[in-house]
Amino acid sequence: MLAAGFLRYTNWSYWGVMTADPSWLLERHFWKLDYKDLAGREQKMLDELILSADVLHLNSIRGWEFLKRLAPDLENRTKIVMHHHGANLREDPRIAEEERDAGWEVVVSTPDLLRVVPWAEWLPSPVDLEEIDGNYPRWIKPEHEFIVGHGYTVPENKGTYDIMYLLDHCHRRDRSIRFVPWNGIGKRQSLWLISQCDLYFATLLYGPGVATLEAMAMGVPVLASCTEEELEHQMAVVGVQTPDGLPWIYVTRETAGEWVHELRNDPELRRVWGLKGRRYVEEFHSIPAVVARAKAVYERATPCREVLYSGE
């Protein structure tokens, strides 16, 4: 989305290249490197793109062995931005410190990561509001059914088993509440399922992710949790003083069930939280907003002093 956004909203050239296997939550790829041609024109094209770039924006941890041979031409000339997304940074914040020492800019995709690298910058994940508004309208649901959705990749990363337990209790108390979890499906199928929900239960760990943003963009209220320390960072980036000011509903294992029942029985409350979420996504996560933030990061970055890669 950043590549398309930069081409649409700026006069910059921007190439997006995927060099690793995609996750289950598939995006449309700007360009996927052909592994069968690593020694041929695909690799040559990638090398030429990197060497001609003013800014190299990398995602995830080091897996960039091919940069080793290009290092002499990149050091003290090319700006490098590393974009961290989760577990590796929580497990070892020294990764980001090494990147900073090498003269890289470090950004994180979710505010909870600022707990371990408070000096980094939050770069919100972009959401394509035009696609969501065009393809995933809000549906009129039958009153006798209340669907709570939950998408996950690794259940241990979202507290999925605890969410299942909580929703089972909610269903026993009110048979109209139906829990619909999903896993291992494509991006657009996940969006379709979110659009069918009355409520999206995102996580009991780390705070909101991309699916949370997509639900809020559709006006679906969201339940999410994180630690108290992470909560402080979540509130800080939005500029609010209490959890009630967040665009998603902060819950704990103790309060989540009551929130499910309260939202099930109060359509106006669902509408209010749905509007809050939508306004938040428009302000922070729309493609023009994220492009503007990313452009500012690129412009203030300085040429790297050292190129890091796997194995160092």
Side-chain angles (χ1 to χ4, degrees):
M1 288 188 208
L2 270 181
F6 265 83
L7 293 173
R8 181 171 182 179
Y9 297 108
T10 76
N11 60 356
W12 289 30
S13 297
Y14 200 112
W15 277 83
V17 181
M18 175 168 281
T19 60
D21 290 334
S23 74
W24 66 274
L25 203 57
L26 299 177
E27 294 279 6
R28 286 189 292 266
H29 308 314
F30 200 91
W31 173 35
K32 175 72 164 63
L33 188 66
D34 185 353
Y35 282 95
K36 297 178 181 179
D37 191 35
L38 285 177
R41 70 176 178 275
E42 293 269 323
Q43 187 64 62
K44 184 174 185 296
M45 181 178 178
L46 179 59
D47 288 354
E48 290 178 354
L49 282 173
I50 292 172
L51 292 172
S52 66
D54 297 298
V55 180
L56 184 59
H57 184 151
L58 304 176
N59 280 281
S60 192
I61 60 174
R62 310 207 191 118
W64 317 99
E65 292 88 346
F66 56 83
L67 290 180
K68 184 175 183 179
R69 66 178 181 277
L70 304 178
D73 295 309
L74 300 177
E75 291 171 348
N76 300 308
R77 186 187 68 81
T78 303
K79 301 175 180 182
I80 297 183
V81 176
M82 174 56 84
H83 201 158
H84 284 284
H85 299 278
N88 63 294
L89 196 59
R90 296 186 190 100
E91 293 167 1
D92 188 4
R94 292 173 300 176
I95 293 172
E97 293 167 3
E98 292 173 3
E99 292 158 357
R100 178 182 58 178
D101 293 343
W104 296 20
E105 286 289 322
V106 176
V107 298
V108 296
S109 60
T110 54
D112 65 283
L113 296 174
L114 296 172
R115 180 182 66 82
V116 293
V117 282
W119 45 266
E121 178 165 344
W122 174 52
L123 181 62
S125 299
V127 175
D128 191 338
L129 291 173
E130 291 183 356
E131 178 178 4
I132 283 176
D133 291 346
N135 284 346
Y136 305 96
R138 294 291 290 119
W139 304 97
I140 298 175
K141 312 294 196 316
E143 276 300 313
H144 65 272
E145 184 177 65
F146 186 75
I147 298 175
V148 182
H150 172 71
Y152 64 95
T153 308
V154 180
E156 292 80 4
N157 289 346
K158 291 195 174 182
T160 296
Y161 299 125
D162 285 338
I163 292 173
M164 290 178 175
Y165 177 81
L166 286 167
L167 265 296
D168 181 61
H169 276 262
C170 290
H171 175 70
R172 293 181 187 182
R173 177 174 165 185
D174 182 342
R175 294 291 178 176
S176 72
I177 295 172
R178 184 159 70 92
F179 181 51
V180 181
W182 59 86
N183 168 261
I185 62 176
K187 173 77 168 180
R188 265 137 210 97
Q189 188 178 2
S190 177
L191 286 169
W192 175 264
L193 289 170
I194 292 171
S195 75
Q196 310 302 302
C197 294
D198 297 286
L199 174 65
Y200 187 75
F201 201 145
T203 178
L204 283 171
L205 301 171
Y206 309 128
V210 172
T212 304
L213 305 175
E214 293 162 345
M216 290 193 293
M218 296 178 192
V220 177
V222 172
L223 304 183
S225 189
C226 58
T227 67
E228 290 187 4
E229 187 177 0
E230 291 162 346
L231 181 64
E232 292 297 321
H233 291 289
Q234 297 281 358
M235 293 189 296
V237 298
V238 181
V240 300
Q241 301 300 314
T242 66
D244 288 344
L246 290 169
W248 43 274
I249 302 166
Y250 172 69
V251 297
T252 64
R253 286 169 174 79
E254 293 72 34
T255 64
E258 287 307 312
W259 268 107
V260 171
H261 289 290
E262 186 173 356
L263 289 160
R264 195 278 171 261
N265 294 314
D266 192 338
E268 177 60 18
L269 185 63
R270 298 199 300 270
R271 188 189 71 83
V272 168
W273 278 103
L275 288 175
K276 284 177 66 174
R278 173 66 188 211
R279 286 195 296 266
Y280 163 77
V281 173
E282 290 172 346
E283 180 178 357
F284 288 93
H285 296 274
S286 65
I287 293 176
V290 178
V291 166
R293 280 186 179 240
K295 188 170 181 285
V297 171
Y298 299 157
E299 289 175 334
R300 73 152 185 267
T302 57
C304 70
R305 293 185 294 273
E306 182 183 1
V307 171
L308 306 172
Y309 47 87
S310 290
E312 283 198 292

